[in-house]
Amino acid sequence: MCRFLVKNCVGVNVMGHLTGFIDIQRENPAEQHPLERINHWQEYQKPLTEEAIKLQASRCMDCGTPFCQIGSIIQSNTSGCPLYNLIPEWNELAYQGKWFEAYQRLAKTNNFPEFTSRACPAPCEGSCTAGLPGQPVAIKNIEKAIIDRAFQEGWVKVKHPVNRTSKRVAIIGSGPAGLTAADDLNQHGHRVTVYEKDDRFGGLLMYGIPNMKIDKKYVERRIELLSKEGIVFKGNMNIGVDISLKDLKKEYDAVLICTGADKPRELPIDGRQLKGIYPAMEYLKESTKHYLNKQYSPSISAKGKKVIVIGGGDTGADCVATAIRQGCKSVIQFGKHGKLPMTRSEANPWPENPQVFTLDYAYEEAQSKFGMDPRQYFIQTKAFIGDEDGNVKSLETTSFRDDQSESRYWDADLVLIAIGFEGVESSLFPAIEKKQNKISANDVDFKTNHDGIYAAGDARRGQSLIVWAMQEGKKAAKEINDYLSKLQ
Amino acid sequence: MKTFRSPIETNGLYRREFEHDACGIGFYADIKGRPSHEIVSTSLEMLKRLDHRAGKSADKSTSDGTGIMLQIPHEFFSSVCPFALPSQGEYAVGMLFLPQDNVISEKILNDFYTEAVKHNLSVFGVRDVPVASEIISEQAKKAEPIIKQIFIQQVEQNIDEFSSQLYSLRKALEQKYKSEMYIPSLSNRTIVYKGMLLADELSLYFTDLSDERFTSSLALIHSRYSTNTFPSWDRAHPNRVIAHNGEINTIKGNMNWFNASNSSGFEVINPTGSDSAIFDNVLEYLLLKGVSLPKAIMMMVPEPWEQNDEIPFYLKAFYEYHSQCMEPWDGPMALGFTDGVQVGAILDRNGLRPGRYYITRNDKVIFASEVGVVDVENDMILERKHLKPGELLLVDTAQGRIIPNDEIKNTISLEEPYHKYLEETVHVLHDDSSAFTPTYSNKELLFQQKAFGYTYEELMKMLKPMALEGKESTGAMGIDTPLAVLSERPQLLFHYFKQGFSQVTNPPIDAIREECVISTISWLGEKTHPLQKYNKEKQKLMLHHPFLTFSQFSTLTNSRWNAVKIDILFPAGSGENGLTSALERIFSQVDQAIQAGNELIILSDQKIDDRQVAIPSLLATSSVHHHLIKNGNRSKASIIVDTGEARDSHHMAMLLGYGADAIHPYLAYETIYQLCAEQHITLDMEQAMAHYIHALLQGVIKIMSKVGISAIQSYRGAQAFEALGISQQVLDQYFTGTVSQIGGIGISEIARETLMRHQKAVAEIEQYDQTLDSGSELQWRKDGEFHQFNPLSIHTLQRAARSNNKDVYKKFVSMNENGPFTTIRSLLKIESDRSPIPLAEVEPVENILRKFKTGAMSYGSLSKEAHEALAIAMNRIGGKSNSGEGGEETERFQRDANGDSRRSAIKQVASGRFGVTSHYLTNADEIQIKMAQGAKPGEGGQLPGQKVYPWIAEVRGSTPGVGLISPPPHHDIYSIEDLAQLIYDLKSANPNAKISVKLVAKAGVGTIAAGVAKGLADTILISGHDGGTGASPRTSIKHTGIPWEIGLSEAHQTLVLNGLRDKVTLEVDGKLMTGKDVIVAACFGAQEYGFATAPLVVLGCIMMRACHLDTCPVGIATQNPLLREKFAGSPDHIVNYMYFIAEEVREILAECGFRSLDEIVGHTNLLKVKDEVTSHWKAKHLDLSDLLCKLSNNISHHPVQDHELEKRFDQRVLIPILETAIVNREKASLHFDIHNTDRSVGTSLGNLISKQYGADGLPEDHIQLHLKGSAGQSLGAFIPKGLSITLEGDANDYVGKGLSGGKLIVKPFNNWSIPQADAIIGNTALFGATSGEAYIRGVAGQRFAVRNSGVKAVVEGVGDHGCEYMTGGIIAILGPIGKNFAAGMSGGIAYIFNGFTANEDILPHINQELVAIEQVTFENEWIELHQMITKHCYYTGSPKAKTILKHWKQLKKQFIKIIPREYKTMTETIDDLQNRGLSYEEARLSAFTMKKEGKILENLYEIEALSSALQDSQSI
C-alpha cells in the first residue's frame, strides 16, 4: 500500500565523499617564496581556491568518535581541539559550499576563528582520524576559509546583547582568554571593561606573535567589533600598579584575571648580564611595535647581527623569522631536544600530538636565505662570553645528549632567549594566592581565593596554546555569569 | 489460590504473562458425519505421533498439556450414566475441573444447580469422570483437579436459546469463582477432555476415551509446548471452539479493541487467559451471536487481500468492510476449529505454521501439522494437500462434504452487497493538494525545535536522509550511551520505551521481501461493532496509511468531519503538578467532545509558546486512549495526534502502538521545508515530504514486522513495547498493561524533563546563536552525551593492550567505573560479607579464560586480518571465538605452522545460513543459533553488493558484487517447536558440539529461555541491547532490546523456578569491558562471557561507526585491500586484554573471599546499589530489587542436557550398520522403513563422512539409503556428497535443509492415485542448501529452496515464496508456483515449466523486484535443463518428466527462466573476462572492481531494458 509513494529515489552519500580521505591528497595552501616574503611583514600564505577547500573538506570522515575535538592532554601534549570545535559539521558544510551555515557552526564554539585559524598549532589535525591511515584533514585551512569568507561577506556583525544587566565585570588582560571571556559575558548582558597594560589590545595576539602569522589588522578589527558591542577597553592600565586590584574589585561585581604567563623563563648562567641578550618576547614586541608605528624606534634589532636564538619552540621560530626580516647576518637556533623523526615513533601513537619533523616557515626562510636549517639540536648553553664592552660575543655550549662532550663556541652579537615562560610575576596581585607561579584556581569554577575574583588562561594554567586560553575564557565566563545571576 | 496451576511464588522477574506456547495440532473427521470410536482412537494415536512437537518438563515425564475435543458421545453417556438422558442435542454436558477441596467443590456444584435455574436450565445429573490418577507425574498430580461432568437441560425447550443460556451460566460461574474452578466445555454438542498429560497418558488417564462405546464423527486434538514447566491443567487445549498452534502477536490490541466495544454486559474475554484462549473467547462469542463459523473466522483471520489482485472484488469488499470493525488477529497460526458440526482449519495470512491434510476414499479428512500421523493405506488416499496461507479448509458433517475454499468464501461474501456498502459510506482521504505552506517563521521554528529537543544531528543524520532518500539511515557499532533514565540530558518520553521483537516463539516478518502480506490501511471515525448491522448513515474515512500530510490535515480540520482540536499543553508556571491536572482537563474535554458527537479528536501541541509547555505526545495519546477504553468510549472516536514532538519511526510506532489512529508530525514537515529551502535537501517539498512519509511508513512497518505483525490496524493499540525506567504507577495509570521490570521515574520527573527542555528553549531563543545543539546520540561530541567508548577510553584501552601495561588497563577500568551512570551495572558495586583471601588461593587465570568468548562477527563484516586475529587470540587462551554468520575458509580448520589456529570454535547459524555446511558444522566445538542480535533484534540484514568481494562470495556461496540478504526470521523457526527441531538437526550434524541459542534481553526472555532449555539447547546466550553491529537502522540500535542485566537475571530466575537451570549454561554479552562486568554478570547467573566491541577496539577500532560503508580506516570492518593494509592489530593485544580482565576477576574474587568464578554464579547478594544512586534525580527512582532477588543457589557448574542421541534414527539404525563402511570407504546400499517420528535422517551419518573425508565428501552415490514411509522433519539435512537418500512416500518440513553435496530423491509410493497434483514434501525444503541434487516428484510446500546457494533440484510444483533469497543453484519446477516467487532472489536460476497449467498466468506470482523473466536461449542451458529432467525421470519415474522429454522440441519452449538481473550481469561479465584470458580469480576480482566503480552499470541497464521488453512480449 505504500510502494506508490516513492519513485526515483536519488541515492546520496552520508558524508561528502566517503573515501575522500584516501582518494584525495591533502593540499596545503601555496606560500609566497621565502626569499620574497622575507622582504615584508605580511601574511605569506595564499588562500586555497574555493574548489580546493571543498575538496579538502570532503576528506573529512565524519567520524563516529571524532578525535579532532577531544581537547585533552595525552602524554603531556594537547590532542584535539580544546574549544571542542564542531569540525566535522562545518567540514561538511564547507564541502557543500554552505559557507554561512559553516560559519554559524564554527562560531558556535569559537569566538575568534580568525585568530585560531592563524595562530593555533592545530592539535585537531594531530588527532584527526584521517591521519591514521594517511594525512589529516586540512582543518585549519578550512577554518580559515570559513571565517575569512564570513568577514568578507559581512556575516560577522556587531551583536548587541538583547538584555543589559546592571552587573559589572572587569577583565584584566586582553589576550585570547580575556577577550573570549569579555565577549561571552558581554553577550550575557553584563557590562564588561577590559584592562590592558600595553598600549594596544590583544595580548600575545598583538605583541607575542609576529605580523606574518597574524596580521594585526585582524586583531584590531575584532577589538573594534567588541567595542561596538559595548565592551569598554582601557589600555595602558597596569592593574596592581595603576590601580590596586582591591580598588578595582570595589567598582566591579566580578573580576577576571587573564594576565597571561608573561614571566619569561630565565637562563641563569655565566654572562647573562651581558648586553645583547634578551628575552624573546621583548624582542618580538619591539619589532611589532615598530612595524605598527614606524615612528617608534625599537630598542632591539637584529639588523646586520649574528643572531642566536636559544629555545626550539614556536617563539624561537618567530624570532628567527623576525631576525631574518630585520636583515640579520646569520641566525642559529638552539634546541634542547634532538631532531624529530620524519614519522611518528612507536612511543608517540595517534591520537597523540605528532612529534615529527616539520619545516616551519622560519626555517624554510633561513634555509633559503642562508642555505641551512638554523636548528642545532641537543644544545646546552653553558655560558655567555662577552667582549670588553660587556657585549655578548659568543656562547659556550655542550651537548644535552652527552655529558662528556667537549665545549663548542658560537659567535653571536644578539642572543634571544625563547625557552618558555615561568608563569606570572610573583609580585602580581599579592593578595591572590599563587602556586608555582600560577594563580591558584581550578579549571572547573576558576575561582581565586577572593570571592568574585576569577582567573583564567595562561595566568592560571601556565604557558599554553591560544585555544586553551580561549577555552578557559569561555568556561570562566560561564562560571562568572552563574555567579552574577545569583547576586542580588 | 489457583488450583490447577501449581503456585509459583516469586518476587523476581518472572511473570506469568510472558508465557508462550506452541504446539502440534490436528483434526480427524468423517465427512459424512458418521460417528465411530475409530475417530477417537485414531485421533489419540495422532496425538502421540505429534509428541516431538510437545513440550516436556525437566523431569521429562510431565507434559505441557494435551487434549481432545469430540462430539458428545450420546450412546456412551446413555450407557454409563445412572440417570436417564434426553435425546441427543437436547442436553448439554459440562466438563468441570474442581478443586481438590471438597467443601469448595460442593459449593461450586450447588451453585451450578441454583445458577442453572436462574438461566432457565436444570441440572439433572452429575458424573464423576473416572480417571487413572496413578499414571500421571508427581508434578501434574500437584495440580490435579477433581473432574466431574454435569448434565444440564433446558427447563423450557427452545433449542435456539440453549447455547446462549449455557454461555451465560458459564460466565456467571466463572465470574464468581474465577480461577477456583475451570469449565473446559459446557455445550450440547461438544466435549473437551484435556489436562496436563502426555500424549499417551490422555487415553489412559481418561478411561472414557478408550471405551469402544465412545464415538464421535470428528475430533480436534492438541499437544502443547509451553515455554515454562509450571503445571497448569486449564491451559491445555483445545479451548471451546479452537485448537491453536502459534502465537497471536496482536493480542493486547485485539483484546483492548474488543473490550472497548463490548456491550454484552459481561466479561467476554477472560483477561488471564492465553492468547489462544482469548481468541477462543471472542470466536465463541461471535458464534453465539449468530455469526457463522466460517464467517467469524474470515473476520478474525482475513487473508491478505489489499495487494492481491486475484481475489474477486466482492470478497475484497467483504474483507474491507469487516476491517472497519475488526483488525486481523495476527501472528503465526495454524488453527483447527469446530462447533461440533463443522470442522475446519486455517493458517495465518503468511502461512507461518505448517498444515497438511489427506482426504481418503472412505470420506475421512486427516489434518495435522505433519503428515504420517495416521496410518492410512496408500490406495485409500484420494488427495494429499498443503493447506495454503489464507485458505479455509471446511468440513461440514451435516452436509456431508468438504465445502471448497472458493465456494464458502464466495457464499459468505455475497450474503450482503458489501461493495455497495463501501461505495455508500467510505471516503478515502486523498492527499489532493501538494501545497505546503509553512506556518512558522524561522525563529518560531527554532524555538519549537529546541523545545521539542531537536538536534543538528537529527536534522542532518535522520530527517535529511529520510526526506532525501526515502529511507531511514543506518548506523554501526551499537549504542554505548546512558539509558534514558540515567542520562543527565533531558530525554523524550519515547526513549523510555523499548520496541518489542520476536524471537523463538514467533517469527518477525520480512516486510520487504514479503510485502504482499503487509497492510497499512487505517480507518477514522467511530468504529463499527463487529455485530452491528449496516447503517448507511455511518460515514467512514479511510486512509491508505496513518500519516496525514499537511493538506490532508487541513482537510480534516476544516471540513464536515466533526473534528475537535484539544491542546495537549500545560502552563510552564504550573510546574510539575501542572501536568497531571492538564491531563485531567484533556480527559474531560475529550469526554465532552465525544458526548457532542465528535468522531475525530485531534490532540495538538502546535500552540506551544514561552508559557505553554507541550505534554509529551505519547503520554497524552496513551492516557486518552486508556481513559476512553476505561469509560467505554474508545470506539466512538479516533485519536489524531498533531505533534511537533514525534519525528522518527520509533516515535510514530509508539504513538500508533498506544492508540493513535493518525498522526500529523507538523514540525518534522516544517523542518523538512526549511532543509529544502536551505538546499540541504535538493528536492521540492512535495517530493521531500513524500519521501519522509514513505521512510516513516517503512520504518513503522519494520518495527511492527519485528513483532510479527503485518497490519497497522492490528498494531494499533497492541502496545508492543516495554518500559525501561518508568514507574509502575505511571504505567498502570496511563499505559495500562505495559511492563516495566525496574520501575523508574514518576509523572513529576516526566514533567521536569519536559520543562527543562522548554526552559532552555525559552532562554536560548533570545541569543545570537540561532543554531541547534549538535546532538550526540550516535556521534560523540565533547560537550554531548556520555559514550562508554569515548576518545580517551578508546585510546587508553588500546595503549594498555598494545603495551601490555596493566597500570594503563587499571586506568581504563577506573575511567569506566567512575564515569557517569550509563548501564544498570554502573549502578552496582560489589560487596562481600566474607573476608578476603590471598590471591594465590583463587583459581588460576586459565580457568577463567576458558569461559571467555568473542562475539559473533562475520567474515565479511570483518576483514580477514581482524577475523583471524580474534580466532588466533581466543584459541591461544583456550577461549572461543565466534565465526558469525558468514562461513569460514576451510583452510582455517588446519593449524598454522607456528601452532596457532585460525579456526573459530563457535560456528554461528543465523537466518541467512551463509557458509553453513556439514563440514563447517563438523568443525565446531559449539554451534550457535542466532535468534536475534542486540543491535537489531527482529531484523534481518543486508550485505550490499559493494562489500561482497570475491573472497567473501566464495565462502558464502554467492556471486561477487551481488548483495546478500539475511532474512529477519529463520525460515525454519517460526515457533518454539521449530527451534527444538533445528537444535535436533544441528546436534545431529555434529553430536560433539554444544548447541547454543542466542537471545536478546527483553521482558519475558526468561520464559523463552525456559522453552529453549526444554528444546534441549546446551547453552543460552542472553545478549544486551547494546551489542554492536556492522549495520543497523539507527532507530533500531537505540530503541530495541534491554540491558542484559535484566534479561540475564530473568532468565536465570525463570530457569531456576522451572528446575531447568541445571540443564543449560547461561552466557552473556553486550559491551562487557572489564573484570567487574564479568563479576556482575556471574552474580546475575552467567557462566560464560562474550566480548566483542572491546576486542575490536583493542585491535584498533576507533568507533568510526562506518562499518556499513566499507571505509573503516583501520582495516577492521572493511574488505578494501587498501584499508586492510592499515590494520595494525595483533592477536597478542587481545591476549593481553583478556588476561587483564581475567586477572581483575581473580582480584575481585580474592577480595570477596571466593576461590572460583563458578562459586559466585547467581550470588546476587554480592551486588549492592551504589550510594550515589540515591542522589541522581532520575536513577534514584529505579527499583532493582526484582533484579537482585536471590533464588536457591544449587547451580550445577557443569550443566548437561540429555539429547537422547541414542534414540535417533541415525544412531539407532544407520550408524551401527554403516560406520565401518564409511571408515573403510566401502560402498553401501540399504533399505529401511521410516515414520514421521524419525527426524533428521542421514544427518549424523553425514557428519561421520565430513569428519573423515572433509569438505569433499565421498564419491557420488557411495552410500545409498532407500527409505519407505512418511519421513519426519529435516529428511537428509546437511548430508554431504557421497550420501544419497531415496524416499518412497512423503516427507514433512525441511527436506534437505542445508544440503551439503548429498543427493535426495523423493517419490510417491508406486500406487499413488493422482500423483501429479499431490503434496509430497513439506515447507522450507532445501533451506540454506549449498550443493548437491534433489529430485522431488510431487508438490513442495511453501518456501522451497529458500536461500539455496548451489543445489540443483527438480520439483513438480511449489507453494508461496518459492526460491526466496536464493543466491545460487538451479531449480527446475515442472508445475505450479505459489505467490511471491523469487522474492529477494539474488542469484541462481529457476526454470518454470508453464505447459501443464498453461491457462494460469504465473507472471503475477513472480516478485520481479530483483529478477528478470526470460526465455531460455543458449544451447548449453537447454542441455543442462534436459539433463536435470532426464535425471529426475530416471530417479523418480515422473510421468511429467517423461512427457516433457518425449516432446522436448515442442515443450521446451514452455519453460521460462527466472534470473536475478544483478547476478546475470556479474556472471556474464565474469565469463566474458575469463574468455578474454583471465583466470577465474582474476575475472571475479576484475568484475567486482568494475561493478564497484560503476563500470558495469551501462551494461546492466541494457539488460534491464531487454528483460522488460521480454516481459511485455510475454504478457501479450
Side-chain angles (χ1 to χ4, degrees), chain A residues 2-6 9, chain B residues 469-471 689-699:
Chain A
C2 36
R3 239 189 243 157
F4 65 92
L5 269 168
V6 171
C9 268
Chain B
E469 299 180 76
K471 59 179 187 211
M689 194 155 82
H691 283 185
Y692 170 67
I693 291 176
H694 178 80
L696 279 184
L697 196 53
Q698 291 305 320

PDB file of all heavy atoms in Angstrom, chain A residues 2-6 9, chain B residues 469-471 689-699:
ATOM      1  N   CYS A   2       2.154   1.047   0.064  1.00  0.00           N
ATOM      2  CA  CYS A   2       2.956   2.234   0.254  1.00  0.00           C
ATOM      3  C   CYS A   2       3.963   2.399  -0.866  1.00  0.00           C
ATOM      4  O   CYS A   2       4.659   3.374  -0.935  1.00  0.00           O
ATOM      5  CB  CYS A   2       3.684   2.125   1.571  1.00  0.00           C
ATOM      6  SG  CYS A   2       4.178   0.459   1.924  1.00  0.00           S
ATOM      7  N   ARG A   3       4.019   1.436  -1.723  1.00  0.00           N
ATOM      8  CA  ARG A   3       5.020   1.497  -2.772  1.00  0.00           C
ATOM      9  C   ARG A   3       4.844   2.712  -3.665  1.00  0.00           C
ATOM     10  O   ARG A   3       5.777   3.239  -4.211  1.00  0.00           O
ATOM     11  CB  ARG A   3       4.917   0.236  -3.619  1.00  0.00           C
ATOM     12  CG  ARG A   3       6.195  -0.576  -3.643  1.00  0.00           C
ATOM     13  CD  ARG A   3       6.048  -1.649  -4.664  1.00  0.00           C
ATOM     14  NE  ARG A   3       6.112  -2.954  -4.035  1.00  0.00           N
ATOM     15  CZ  ARG A   3       5.596  -4.043  -4.574  1.00  0.00           C
ATOM     16  NH1 ARG A   3       4.959  -3.987  -5.724  1.00  0.00           N
ATOM     17  NH2 ARG A   3       5.707  -5.189  -3.970  1.00  0.00           N
ATOM     18  N   PHE A   4       3.591   3.155  -3.771  1.00  0.00           N
ATOM     19  CA  PHE A   4       3.305   4.243  -4.705  1.00  0.00           C
ATOM     20  C   PHE A   4       3.983   5.542  -4.307  1.00  0.00           C
ATOM     21  O   PHE A   4       4.123   6.445  -5.096  1.00  0.00           O
ATOM     22  CB  PHE A   4       1.787   4.457  -4.811  1.00  0.00           C
ATOM     23  CG  PHE A   4       1.161   4.918  -3.532  1.00  0.00           C
ATOM     24  CD1 PHE A   4       1.016   6.270  -3.282  1.00  0.00           C
ATOM     25  CD2 PHE A   4       0.722   4.005  -2.583  1.00  0.00           C
ATOM     26  CE1 PHE A   4       0.440   6.701  -2.104  1.00  0.00           C
ATOM     27  CE2 PHE A   4       0.144   4.431  -1.407  1.00  0.00           C
ATOM     28  CZ  PHE A   4      -0.005   5.784  -1.160  1.00  0.00           C
ATOM     29  N   LEU A   5       4.397   5.610  -3.062  1.00  0.00           N
ATOM     30  CA  LEU A   5       4.865   6.903  -2.575  1.00  0.00           C
ATOM     31  C   LEU A   5       6.172   7.368  -3.199  1.00  0.00           C
ATOM     32  O   LEU A   5       6.327   8.527  -3.548  1.00  0.00           O
ATOM     33  CB  LEU A   5       5.047   6.835  -1.062  1.00  0.00           C
ATOM     34  CG  LEU A   5       3.817   7.248  -0.280  1.00  0.00           C
ATOM     35  CD1 LEU A   5       3.987   6.869   1.165  1.00  0.00           C
ATOM     36  CD2 LEU A   5       3.583   8.737  -0.429  1.00  0.00           C
ATOM     37  N   VAL A   6       7.090   6.461  -3.267  1.00  0.00           N
ATOM     38  CA  VAL A   6       8.412   6.917  -3.674  1.00  0.00           C
ATOM     39  C   VAL A   6       8.773   6.419  -5.052  1.00  0.00           C
ATOM     40  O   VAL A   6       8.743   5.227  -5.325  1.00  0.00           O
ATOM     41  CB  VAL A   6       9.473   6.446  -2.671  1.00  0.00           C
ATOM     42  CG1 VAL A   6      10.848   6.728  -3.215  1.00  0.00           C
ATOM     43  CG2 VAL A   6       9.258   7.153  -1.372  1.00  0.00           C
ATOM     44  N   CYS A   9      13.931   7.463  -6.181  1.00  0.00           N
ATOM     45  CA  CYS A   9      14.703   7.989  -5.059  1.00  0.00           C
ATOM     46  C   CYS A   9      16.147   8.181  -5.488  1.00  0.00           C
ATOM     47  O   CYS A   9      16.732   7.312  -6.111  1.00  0.00           O
ATOM     48  CB  CYS A   9      14.684   7.002  -3.897  1.00  0.00           C
ATOM     49  SG  CYS A   9      13.360   7.358  -2.800  1.00  0.00           S
TER      50      CYS A   9
ATOM     51  N   GLU B 469      16.228  10.345   0.643  1.00  0.00           N
ATOM     52  CA  GLU B 469      16.312   9.008   0.067  1.00  0.00           C
ATOM     53  C   GLU B 469      15.078   8.161   0.303  1.00  0.00           C
ATOM     54  O   GLU B 469      14.971   7.071  -0.238  1.00  0.00           O
ATOM     55  CB  GLU B 469      17.506   8.257   0.667  1.00  0.00           C
ATOM     56  CG  GLU B 469      18.828   8.926   0.386  1.00  0.00           C
ATOM     57  CD  GLU B 469      19.957   8.134   1.015  1.00  0.00           C
ATOM     58  OE1 GLU B 469      20.309   7.091   0.450  1.00  0.00           O
ATOM     59  OE2 GLU B 469      20.460   8.538   2.063  1.00  0.00           O
ATOM     60  N   GLY B 470      14.208   8.641   1.161  1.00  0.00           N
ATOM     61  CA  GLY B 470      13.007   7.860   1.430  1.00  0.00           C
ATOM     62  C   GLY B 470      13.258   6.666   2.323  1.00  0.00           C
ATOM     63  O   GLY B 470      12.482   5.735   2.350  1.00  0.00           O
ATOM     64  N   LYS B 471      14.371   6.671   3.013  1.00  0.00           N
ATOM     65  CA  LYS B 471      14.587   5.585   3.966  1.00  0.00           C
ATOM     66  C   LYS B 471      15.380   6.071   5.168  1.00  0.00           C
ATOM     67  O   LYS B 471      16.060   7.087   5.107  1.00  0.00           O
ATOM     68  CB  LYS B 471      15.260   4.398   3.308  1.00  0.00           C
ATOM     69  CG  LYS B 471      16.584   4.711   2.694  1.00  0.00           C
ATOM     70  CD  LYS B 471      17.190   3.449   2.092  1.00  0.00           C
ATOM     71  CE  LYS B 471      18.593   3.714   1.616  1.00  0.00           C
ATOM     72  NZ  LYS B 471      19.006   2.940   0.488  1.00  0.00           N
ATOM     73  N   MET B 689       8.542  15.559   1.253  1.00  0.00           N
ATOM     74  CA  MET B 689       7.575  15.132   2.250  1.00  0.00           C
ATOM     75  C   MET B 689       7.111  13.706   1.943  1.00  0.00           C
ATOM     76  O   MET B 689       6.957  12.891   2.847  1.00  0.00           O
ATOM     77  CB  MET B 689       6.400  16.100   2.283  1.00  0.00           C
ATOM     78  CG  MET B 689       5.542  15.931   3.501  1.00  0.00           C
ATOM     79  SD  MET B 689       4.650  17.433   3.898  1.00  0.00           S
ATOM     80  CE  MET B 689       3.287  17.313   2.799  1.00  0.00           C
ATOM     81  N   ALA B 690       6.919  13.428   0.657  1.00  0.00           N
ATOM     82  CA  ALA B 690       6.504  12.072   0.276  1.00  0.00           C
ATOM     83  C   ALA B 690       7.580  11.065   0.687  1.00  0.00           C
ATOM     84  O   ALA B 690       7.281   9.996   1.218  1.00  0.00           O
ATOM     85  CB  ALA B 690       6.243  12.000  -1.219  1.00  0.00           C
ATOM     86  N   HIS B 691       8.818  11.425   0.465  1.00  0.00           N
ATOM     87  CA  HIS B 691       9.916  10.537   0.861  1.00  0.00           C
ATOM     88  C   HIS B 691       9.928  10.323   2.366  1.00  0.00           C
ATOM     89  O   HIS B 691      10.104   9.207   2.858  1.00  0.00           O
ATOM     90  CB  HIS B 691      11.265  11.142   0.459  1.00  0.00           C
ATOM     91  CG  HIS B 691      11.555  11.003  -0.995  1.00  0.00           C
ATOM     92  ND1 HIS B 691      12.742  11.379  -1.546  1.00  0.00           N
ATOM     93  CD2 HIS B 691      10.798  10.547  -2.005  1.00  0.00           C
ATOM     94  CE1 HIS B 691      12.719  11.142  -2.854  1.00  0.00           C
ATOM     95  NE2 HIS B 691      11.549  10.637  -3.145  1.00  0.00           N
ATOM     96  N   TYR B 692       9.758  11.426   3.064  1.00  0.00           N
ATOM     97  CA  TYR B 692       9.797  11.345   4.526  1.00  0.00           C
ATOM     98  C   TYR B 692       8.684  10.423   5.028  1.00  0.00           C
ATOM     99  O   TYR B 692       8.919   9.537   5.854  1.00  0.00           O
ATOM    100  CB  TYR B 692       9.670  12.751   5.107  1.00  0.00           C
ATOM    101  CG  TYR B 692       9.455  12.780   6.599  1.00  0.00           C
ATOM    102  CD1 TYR B 692      10.462  12.369   7.475  1.00  0.00           C
ATOM    103  CD2 TYR B 692       8.247  13.219   7.141  1.00  0.00           C
ATOM    104  CE1 TYR B 692      10.264  12.387   8.847  1.00  0.00           C
ATOM    105  CE2 TYR B 692       8.040  13.245   8.504  1.00  0.00           C
ATOM    106  CZ  TYR B 692       9.053  12.826   9.354  1.00  0.00           C
ATOM    107  OH  TYR B 692       8.854  12.840  10.712  1.00  0.00           O
ATOM    108  N   ILE B 693       7.500  10.634   4.507  1.00  0.00           N
ATOM    109  CA  ILE B 693       6.372   9.796   4.939  1.00  0.00           C
ATOM    110  C   ILE B 693       6.633   8.337   4.566  1.00  0.00           C
ATOM    111  O   ILE B 693       6.382   7.423   5.342  1.00  0.00           O
ATOM    112  CB  ILE B 693       5.049  10.303   4.330  1.00  0.00           C
ATOM    113  CG1 ILE B 693       4.694  11.644   4.957  1.00  0.00           C
ATOM    114  CG2 ILE B 693       3.925   9.297   4.551  1.00  0.00           C
ATOM    115  CD1 ILE B 693       3.458  12.306   4.378  1.00  0.00           C
ATOM    116  N   HIS B 694       7.170   8.149   3.381  1.00  0.00           N
ATOM    117  CA  HIS B 694       7.495   6.791   2.954  1.00  0.00           C
ATOM    118  C   HIS B 694       8.480   6.143   3.927  1.00  0.00           C
ATOM    119  O   HIS B 694       8.303   4.997   4.340  1.00  0.00           O
ATOM    120  CB  HIS B 694       8.092   6.817   1.550  1.00  0.00           C
ATOM    121  CG  HIS B 694       8.491   5.465   1.041  1.00  0.00           C
ATOM    122  ND1 HIS B 694       7.589   4.575   0.520  1.00  0.00           N
ATOM    123  CD2 HIS B 694       9.691   4.844   1.005  1.00  0.00           C
ATOM    124  CE1 HIS B 694       8.215   3.466   0.166  1.00  0.00           C
ATOM    125  NE2 HIS B 694       9.499   3.601   0.452  1.00  0.00           N
ATOM    126  N   ALA B 695       9.498   6.903   4.284  1.00  0.00           N
ATOM    127  CA  ALA B 695      10.501   6.369   5.205  1.00  0.00           C
ATOM    128  C   ALA B 695       9.871   6.056   6.560  1.00  0.00           C
ATOM    129  O   ALA B 695      10.174   5.022   7.173  1.00  0.00           O
ATOM    130  CB  ALA B 695      11.647   7.364   5.370  1.00  0.00           C
ATOM    131  N   LEU B 696       9.007   6.947   7.023  1.00  0.00           N
ATOM    132  CA  LEU B 696       8.330   6.696   8.298  1.00  0.00           C
ATOM    133  C   LEU B 696       7.514   5.416   8.230  1.00  0.00           C
ATOM    134  O   LEU B 696       7.555   4.575   9.126  1.00  0.00           O
ATOM    135  CB  LEU B 696       7.352   7.834   8.618  1.00  0.00           C
ATOM    136  CG  LEU B 696       7.891   9.114   9.221  1.00  0.00           C
ATOM    137  CD1 LEU B 696       6.717  10.026   9.539  1.00  0.00           C
ATOM    138  CD2 LEU B 696       8.711   8.849  10.465  1.00  0.00           C
ATOM    139  N   LEU B 697       6.792   5.314   7.139  1.00  0.00           N
ATOM    140  CA  LEU B 697       5.906   4.168   6.978  1.00  0.00           C
ATOM    141  C   LEU B 697       6.719   2.875   6.927  1.00  0.00           C
ATOM    142  O   LEU B 697       6.401   1.895   7.591  1.00  0.00           O
ATOM    143  CB  LEU B 697       5.103   4.364   5.696  1.00  0.00           C
ATOM    144  CG  LEU B 697       3.877   3.502   5.521  1.00  0.00           C
ATOM    145  CD1 LEU B 697       2.960   3.620   6.714  1.00  0.00           C
ATOM    146  CD2 LEU B 697       3.130   3.934   4.261  1.00  0.00           C
ATOM    147  N   GLN B 698       7.794   2.914   6.138  1.00  0.00           N
ATOM    148  CA  GLN B 698       8.654   1.733   6.059  1.00  0.00           C
ATOM    149  C   GLN B 698       9.225   1.418   7.435  1.00  0.00           C
ATOM    150  O   GLN B 698       9.346   0.265   7.821  1.00  0.00           O
ATOM    151  CB  GLN B 698       9.788   1.949   5.056  1.00  0.00           C
ATOM    152  CG  GLN B 698       9.339   2.005   3.605  1.00  0.00           C
ATOM    153  CD  GLN B 698       8.538   0.784   3.203  1.00  0.00           C
ATOM    154  OE1 GLN B 698       8.837  -0.343   3.573  1.00  0.00           O
ATOM    155  NE2 GLN B 698       7.457   0.999   2.466  1.00  0.00           N
ATOM    156  N   GLY B 699       9.571   2.474   8.152  1.00  0.00           N
ATOM    157  CA  GLY B 699      10.119   2.292   9.491  1.00  0.00           C
ATOM    158  C   GLY B 699       9.103   1.654  10.413  1.00  0.00           C
ATOM    159  O   GLY B 699       9.418   0.717  11.154  1.00  0.00           O
TER     160      GLY B 699
END
